Amino acid sequence: MTQRRLSRHGGLIDAVQSVVAGNKLSLHEPQFDGNEKRFLLDCIESGYVSSVGAFVSRFEEDLAKFVGASHAVAVVNGTSGLHLALVGLGVKPGDEVFVPALSFVATANAVALAGAVPHYVDVSEETWGVSPEGLREYLSSFARVGADGLINPRTGRPLTALIAMHTLGFPADAEALAEVARDFGLIFIEDAAESLGSYVGRAHTGLAGQAGVFSFNGNKTITTGGGGAIVTSDPVLAARLKHLSTTAKIAHRYEFDHDEVGFNYRMPNINAALGVAQLEQLPEILERQRRLHMMYVKALEDISSGTKASERLGTSSNYWLQAFLLDETAAKDKNAILNAFLDSGVAARPLWRPLNRLTPYRLSPSALTPVVDNLYARVICLPSSPALAR
Ligand SMILES: *Cc1c(COP(=O)(O)O)cnc(C)c1O
């Protein structure tokens, strides 16, 4: 990359630096301004740091209330939440599960952990989430209806589920996807790991399918250190997920009896304590993320090589990661721009390399994914810590 080509992007680098203002923060750092220390101390002083303790139920109740779900099951991370949801909803080894090629690798890994095979699909240019029209067309053109449901005629495997993801906090069209899933008899799970606080109208993301999964990793909107949760409106499923997450142990005063192969996926009390304190601050964090978005919009308004990505009309993004969409010409310089950001101390990142290009998934079935490829070529994620908002 010549200096001359890069010098065209000096305005972009300067504009982002004016927002970051010398903060050497990583891409997304948590903010602990509330009761975190108090609740953690409470865990340590009471001795309840692990698999027993009141913070877990409190966190589940507070989370369910915030998103408007009837049930929440807290687990050790988002990946385990997706894995548990797939198993709990009956996805079997050898099934194929539709997954957007644009996601963090955890979405595909959860499918593989369930013994199933991810089948990659494209996203919509508008939402950056799985395209309902695209999926319907794809299914109509190639899937075969077998005696027990949909079959991939090329592999002979059952097509049983769809996981949609709300990219960077921008809501996918989950209602339309739920309709496609219903029409084709697919289980529908939302990977809402990035979308706590994101809405379509007044409906929180993660509630349109049989289950929605959140992540509370250290880089997410709120954190429990490591953690995740599954939300559902189905009380039977919620109870089954809870049971499976706690080694499938049958409640008894002293007996160790387990009625199936379970998981050790329950969120520890100490993580839930952090989560309760973080949830209390979620409205303030969301406000900061939105303010930071406006700061970037303003700083970048005269940059001609691309645009700040904004929420669609009728939706509300949590602005978990702030994204800049390079135009086709500037996209040719993406790697040089990323290097220039890093050299100047700005923690910019590309989107995830499309999942259908990753070594472990190169042989997985995939639709053509031109929109995913285009977004990967053009999007740069900018420093997004709520602490940057002024
Ligand atoms: C963060 C994330 C997950 C889950 O990650 P964990 O680190 O296991 O909590 C899953 N899917 C997406 C899209 C994510 O961004």
Side-chain angles (χ1 to χ4, degrees), residues 17 54 132 194 210 321 387:
Q17 269 175 337
E194 304 181 358
Q210 281 97 322
L321 283 193

Side-chain angles (χ1 to χ4, degrees), residues 358-377:
L358 298 183
T359 303
Y361 297 116
R362 217 164 267 164
L363 298 177
S364 292
S366 180
L368 294 174
T369 55
V371 181
V372 172
D373 296 339
N374 187 263
L375 288 171
Y376 173 62

Side-chain angles (χ1 to χ4, degrees), residues 107-191:
T107 318
N109 287 348
V111 173
L113 286 170
V117 178
H119 186 139
Y120 297 106
V121 290
D122 207 4
V123 299
S124 120
E125 226 166 310
E126 233 201 336
T127 67
W128 298 9
V130 174
S131 158
E133 300 78 24
L135 180 64
R136 186 180 289 280
E137 216 169 280
Y138 184 59
L139 280 168
S140 306
S141 73
F142 98 101
R144 209 183 67 220
V145 183
D148 301 317
L150 231 47
I151 304 274
N152 179 344
R154 283 174 218 138
T155 61
R157 288 191 289 247
L159 298 159
T160 52
L162 161 69
I163 306 181
M165 200 273 281
H166 303 287
T167 306
L168 310 184
F170 297 119
D173 192 351
E175 278 305 329
L177 286 166
E179 208 176 293
V180 177
R182 263 197 307 277
D183 290 350
F184 289 89
L186 298 171
I187 294 160
F188 180 35
I189 298 170
E190 285 171 81
D191 180 343

Side-chain angles (χ1 to χ4, degrees), residues 110-355:
V111 173
L113 286 170
V117 178
H119 186 139
Y120 297 106
V121 290
D122 207 4
V123 299
S124 120
E125 226 166 310
E126 233 201 336
T127 67
W128 298 9
V130 174
S131 158
E133 300 78 24
L135 180 64
R136 186 180 289 280
E137 216 169 280
Y138 184 59
L139 280 168
S140 306
S141 73
F142 98 101
R144 209 183 67 220
V145 183
D148 301 317
L150 231 47
I151 304 274
N152 179 344
R154 283 174 218 138
T155 61
R157 288 191 289 247
L159 298 159
T160 52
L162 161 69
I163 306 181
M165 200 273 281
H166 303 287
T167 306
L168 310 184
F170 297 119
D173 192 351
E175 278 305 329
L177 286 166
E179 208 176 293
V180 177
R182 263 197 307 277
D183 290 350
F184 289 89
L186 298 171
I187 294 160
F188 180 35
I189 298 170
E190 285 171 81
D191 180 343
E194 304 181 358
S195 68
L196 181 64
S198 297
Y199 299 80
V200 177
R202 296 180 65 182
H204 198 287
T205 50
L207 306 177
Q210 281 97 322
V213 179
F214 295 95
S215 165
F216 310 110
N217 190 39
N219 65 345
K220 293 288 170 27
T221 300
I222 64 163
T223 187
T224 58
I230 309 163
V231 294
T232 176
S233 60
D234 178 349
V236 178
L237 177 66
R240 171 148 168 75
L241 295 174
K242 191 80 189 174
H243 181 64
L244 278 174
S245 76
T246 50
T247 66
K249 185 179 184 299
I250 298 167
H252 190 278
R253 208 169 171 189
Y254 51 80
E255 210 60 65
F256 292 102
D257 191 7
H258 309 257
D259 60 359
E260 61 184 307
V261 179
F263 302 90
N264 183 13
Y265 277 173
R266 186 184 204 272
M267 179 184 280
N269 199 49
I270 195 161
N271 299 85
L274 200 55
V276 171
Q278 286 269 282
L279 271 177
E280 290 176 348
Q281 293 170 79
L282 180 52
E284 153 76 11
I285 291 170
L286 291 171
E287 219 172 275
R288 279 174 172 256
Q289 301 284 68
R290 181 162 292 273
R291 231 160 46 228
L292 182 59
H293 164 69
M294 291 316 298
M295 285 166 62
Y296 276 123
V297 167
K298 195 149 183 294
L300 294 163
E301 67 188 348
D302 294 329
I303 304 299
S304 57
S305 57
T307 48
K308 175 73 177 69
S310 295
E311 65 202 3
R312 262 180 313 139
L313 209 65
T315 72
S316 176
S317 172
N318 63 4
Y319 287 111
W320 169 59
L321 283 193
Q322 308 285 346
F324 187 73
L325 185 65
L326 297 168
D327 65 27
E328 301 282 352
T329 314
K332 297 193 179 78
D333 302 333
K334 183 185 87 169
N335 293 339
I337 293 169
L338 283 167
N339 277 309
F341 273 129
L342 293 176
D343 290 346
S344 70
V346 171
R349 289 287 184 278
L351 282 179
W352 318 275
R353 182 168 294 200
L355 298 177

Side-chain angles (χ1 to χ4, degrees), residues 87-102:
V87 173
L89 283 164
V91 169
K92 298 274 180 304
D95 287 359
E96 285 183 19
V97 176
F98 292 109
V99 167
L102 184 69

